[in-house]
Amino acid sequence: MGKLCFGVDLGGTTVKMGLFTVEGSLLEDWEIPTRKEEKGAYVIDDIAESILNKITENALNREDIVGVGIGVPGPVTPTGIVKGCVNIGWGDTAVEELLKDKTGFPVKAGNDANVAALGELWQGGGKGNSSLVMVTLGTGVGGGIVLGGKIITGANGAAGEIGHMSVVYDETETCNCGKKGCLEQVASATGIVKEAKRFLASGNEDSSLRSIENFSAKDVFDEAKKGDAIAVKTVERLGEYLGIALGHIACVVDPDVFIIGGGVSKAGGFLIDTITKYYVEKTYPQCKKTPIKLATLGNSAGIYGAAKLVIE
C-alpha cells in the first residue's frame, strides 16, 4: 500500500478524518463527534483513539504511517501551539505535542482555513499550480494563502483573514470583529441577506423576495438567476466588493489562481462570472487574466490539506 498519513479537520460539531496515501489518494474518510464538554478536554484523546482504532481495523503497519496533520479553527504558531479555539473551548493548546504523545506519530497543525486552501492547491480546484488565494463564503468570509506550496500565516496568524478587509467605506453597522465596512458584511451568506433586505426596504420595487419568508442567500441567487431586479442588484453588489477585494490581493500576492469555496459558492458559474466581471474592472492590468475558479473538494478540503501538511 505504500506510505500513509492521516488528515484531521477539527470542527465545532464533528471531527472529519481521512486516511491517505502520500501521493494524495483518499483511501477512507469518516467522522466522530466533537466533544466540547469541559472546555474540549476530550477532543485530542478522541482523535487519537479513532486513528489508532483505524490502524487496527485495517491491519496497517505503523512503520508505513508518516504522521498526522490537523486543521483547527484558530490561529496556530509555527511551533504547533493553538492560540485558542473559541468554539471548541480551548485556550493555548500544544496540539502537535499532545497528539504526538497520544498516537506516537509526528503531527503538524495549521489553521483550518489555511489548511483547506492547501488541500485545494494539492488535489482540488488549484491543482497544477504553485500558488493560490482561497476565499470561503459561508456564514462568514474566510480565506487562505498558499505561495510556493507553503501556507502564509503572517506574524500574528492573521494572513488570509480576507473577510475583514475594509471595502465598504459607507457601512454604518459594525462587523463582529469590531470594525465597519468589512467584506464579510456584504459577501457572507448573512451579509447577502442583509443587503437584499436593505434594498427591499429602500423602495417599493417589485421583487419575488418579498413573498419569501425568511429568505436565504440561496434564495437571493435563485431569484437573481430568474432576473429579479432586487436579487440581481444584491448579487451585483456582492460581486463588486469581492472583485475589489481580490483586486487588492492580486496587487500584493499575484497568485496563480483564486479559488472560491464555502456554501455560497454553490451558486456556481453565475457567482464566478459576476465576481470576474468586477475583478477585471478593478484590478491591476497585469493581473486581469488571473483565473477565478470554484473549489472542488467541498467539505473534504480540510482533511486533504491536513494530510499535505504532515507530508511536507
Side-chain angles (χ1 to χ4, degrees), residues 27-61:
L27 302 176
E28 185 178 355
D29 61 336
W30 68 98
E31 294 182 357
I32 61 173
T34 304
R35 290 201 291 159
K36 293 183 285 189
E37 300 89 345
E38 298 183 36
K39 296 184 177 180
Y42 308 112
V43 171
I44 295 293
D45 286 341
D46 289 349
I47 292 171
E49 180 181 2
S50 185
I51 288 170
L52 296 175
N53 285 344
K54 194 61 63 173
I55 291 171
T56 301
E57 178 185 315
N58 290 288
L60 302 178
N61 186 341

Side-chain angles (χ1 to χ4, degrees), residues 58-282:
N58 290 288
L60 302 178
N61 186 341
R62 289 181 61 95
E63 293 180 358
D64 290 334
I65 298 168
V66 301
V68 180
I70 181 170
V72 301
V76 182
T77 71
T79 57
I81 307 296
V82 179
K83 303 301 288 182
C85 290
V86 176
N87 62 346
I88 304 296
W90 287 352
D92 287 6
T93 304
V95 66
E96 289 184 2
E97 181 181 346
L98 290 170
L99 193 52
K100 180 181 179 181
D101 288 345
K102 299 288 184 182
T103 63
F105 299 119
V107 176
K108 185 64 180 174
N111 169 265
D112 56 356
N114 290 331
V115 167
L118 182 62
E120 286 289 343
L121 182 68
W122 186 35
Q123 296 293 339
K127 188 173 182 178
N129 295 291
S130 64
S131 68
L132 66 69
V133 173
M134 182 173 177
V135 184
T136 53
L137 308 175
T139 305
V141 174
I145 302 169
V146 187
L147 301 180
K150 302 295 182 183
I151 292 172
I152 304 301
T153 57
N156 301 296
E161 288 290 352
I162 293 163
H164 298 291
M165 293 180 66
S166 295
V167 292
V168 191
Y169 298 128
D170 59 352
E171 178 61 66
T172 57
E173 294 185 14
T174 302
C175 178
N176 290 331
C177 75
K179 299 196 294 99
K180 293 179 180 178
C182 291
L183 179 64
E184 182 169 297
Q185 291 181 271
V186 290
S188 65
T190 308
I192 292 165
V193 171
K194 182 195 72 178
E195 289 300 310
K197 289 180 176 178
R198 281 183 173 178
F199 284 129
L200 290 169
S202 66
N204 297 314
E205 190 171 3
D206 286 341
S207 173
S208 53
L209 292 174
R210 296 188 189 277
S211 63
I212 304 174
E213 187 176 356
N214 298 321
F215 61 82
S216 65
K218 180 181 182 301
D219 293 323
V220 174
F221 276 101
D222 287 345
E223 297 309 308
K225 290 174 182 177
K226 298 174 187 175
D228 181 88
I230 293 292
V232 167
K233 195 181 298 185
T234 303
V235 172
E236 289 289 323
R237 182 171 169 84
L238 157 74
E240 180 176 10
Y241 283 115
L242 275 166
I244 290 169
L246 297 189
H248 290 339
I249 294 166
C251 288
V252 179
V253 176
D254 192 17
D256 292 327
V257 60
F258 288 102
I259 299 294
I260 309 297
V264 173
S265 71
K266 291 179 181 177
F270 184 71
L271 171 64
I272 297 299
D273 290 346
T274 306
I275 298 170
T276 300
K277 177 176 69 174
Y278 287 103
Y279 171 77
V280 169
E281 177 186 318
K282 303 290 184 181

